[in-house]
Amino acid sequence: MTDDERFMLEALKEASKAQKKDEVPVGSVLVLDGKIIAKGHNQVELLKDATAHAEILCLTSASAHLNDWRLLNTVLYTTLEPCCMCAGAIIASRVKTLVWAAPDIRVGANGSWIDVFEKKHPIHTVEIRKNVLEEISSNLIKDFFKKKRS
């Protein structure tokens, strides 16, 4: 098992926490020097806040943990392709690497809908690896919405 798979499994555990709270099952973990320093899962419904995405909550937690908004040399693992808001937060917080699992055709901002990362940023570039454990993440989301519709 690769490090990407190992940490994505941890993000998937966070996604399961969201699902148990009747939230869209998306989870994120932030890794620094091979250790998870922050976790997050969707809490949009619970907090009645459209910005309470897994990635945002994870980045906020990491900033508090490090007492710094600059999350240099970190790797963010997230189970769904980030939206524009989350992509912007990833760039602004200087995350070094983004690893995501499943594409999001509705609002994915790494090529599924638009690509926020394709334009060269003046001060920061994010390394990206995608489709890590895609099928597991995709099935989790599909199952969630099937149950919602029935």
Side-chain angles (χ1 to χ4, degrees):
M1 177 179 296
T2 67
D3 281 349
D4 280 355
E5 292 168 334
R6 185 167 56 92
F7 289 121
M8 190 61 74
L9 285 172
E10 293 301 316
L12 283 160
K13 288 178 187 176
E14 287 297 306
S16 292
K17 289 179 186 177
Q19 184 177 33
K20 287 177 182 147
K21 296 175 182 176
D22 205 30
E23 297 275 357
V24 176
V26 179
S28 298
V29 297
L30 193 72
V31 174
L32 178 62
D33 298 327
K35 294 182 179 135
I36 295 172
I37 62 165
K39 299 177 180 183
H41 56 272
N42 270 2
Q43 295 187 51
V44 172
E45 300 299 333
L46 176 72
L47 299 176
K48 307 291 185 238
D49 179 356
T51 69
H53 288 193
E55 300 94 329
I56 298 293
L57 297 174
C58 185
L59 296 174
T60 300
S61 175
S63 292
H65 173 78
L66 295 174
N67 197 31
D68 195 344
W69 62 268
R70 291 175 193 87
L71 303 176
L72 302 172
N73 300 312
T74 59
V75 182
L76 179 67
Y77 291 87
T78 191
T79 61
L80 189 65
E81 177 184 4
C83 70
C84 291
M85 172 184 67
C86 294
I90 290 163
I91 293 167
S93 61
R94 310 296 196 274
V95 168
K96 180 180 181 183
T97 306
L98 165 66
V99 182
W100 56 264
D104 185 350
I105 58 169
R106 295 175 319 106
V107 295
N110 188 208
S112 293
W113 176 53
I114 62 167
D115 196 344
V116 169
F117 300 99
E118 76 178 339
K119 184 167 174 60
K120 182 158 176 49
H121 191 271
I123 60 168
H124 185 66
T125 301
V126 179
E127 297 169 21
I128 299 172
R129 296 190 292 275
K130 50 187 164 183
N131 307 114
V132 174
L133 302 182
E134 175 184 358
E135 191 174 342
I136 297 169
S137 180
S138 210
N139 288 339
L140 188 65
I141 291 168
K142 286 176 188 172
D143 291 346
F144 174 81
F145 283 110
K146 276 182 194 170
K147 287 176 186 165
K148 279 294 215 192
R149 291 183 191 110
S150 62

